[in-house]
Amino acid sequence: LPRAARLGWRAADVMWRAAGDTATDLNHYTKRVTLSAIYAATLLVFVDDESEDWADTRAFLARRLQGVARFEKAKAQLRGNPDHHFNPARFLGRLRYRA
């Protein structure tokens, strides 16, 4: 199990680097964990796939990627526009320096 985890992590790291990823913050880790999980699950489906041209595996992978895309879209909507979030410094500045 530890060896499989290391190999999965390395595979995800190679894929992200090949895609041009240069993240060095928390995104570096979250991207690789997400890709490792998708990769491992897809491999498990692939091993048991008897459909023509691995159609079931391709459909499974597409659903996983759509799920990640929906999650990222929802996350972006929650963040929204930073100008609409409460900012204590901006609030105090507006109290002191009224427009």
Side-chain angles (χ1 to χ4, degrees):
L1 190 60
R3 184 169 187 224
R6 279 193 307 273
L7 290 173
W9 182 267
R10 282 187 199 155
D13 187 48
V14 167
M15 287 184 240
W16 271 115
R17 289 182 191 275
D21 181 51
T22 58
T24 57
D25 56 355
L26 183 62
N27 283 331
H28 172 86
Y29 299 100
T30 58
K31 288 177 181 180
R32 280 145 182 85
V33 166
T34 303
L35 183 56
S36 295
I38 291 172
Y39 186 57
T42 303
L43 283 177
L44 289 174
V45 171
F46 173 74
V47 168
D48 196 37
D49 190 357
E50 295 178 1
S51 63
E52 186 175 329
D53 197 28
W54 301 288
D56 292 344
T57 301
R58 293 175 192 272
F60 177 83
L61 177 58
R63 288 191 305 273
R64 298 295 76 76
L65 294 176
Q66 288 171 353
V68 171
R70 280 193 309 269
F71 175 76
E72 291 298 324
K73 184 178 179 181
K75 193 169 73 171
Q77 288 176 345
L78 287 175
R79 283 190 188 142
N81 186 345
D83 290 335
H84 294 134
H85 290 281
F86 179 72
N87 182 329
R90 185 176 60 219
F91 175 73
L92 292 173
R94 287 182 181 169
L95 288 177
R96 185 171 180 186
Y97 306 108
R98 294 180 186 258

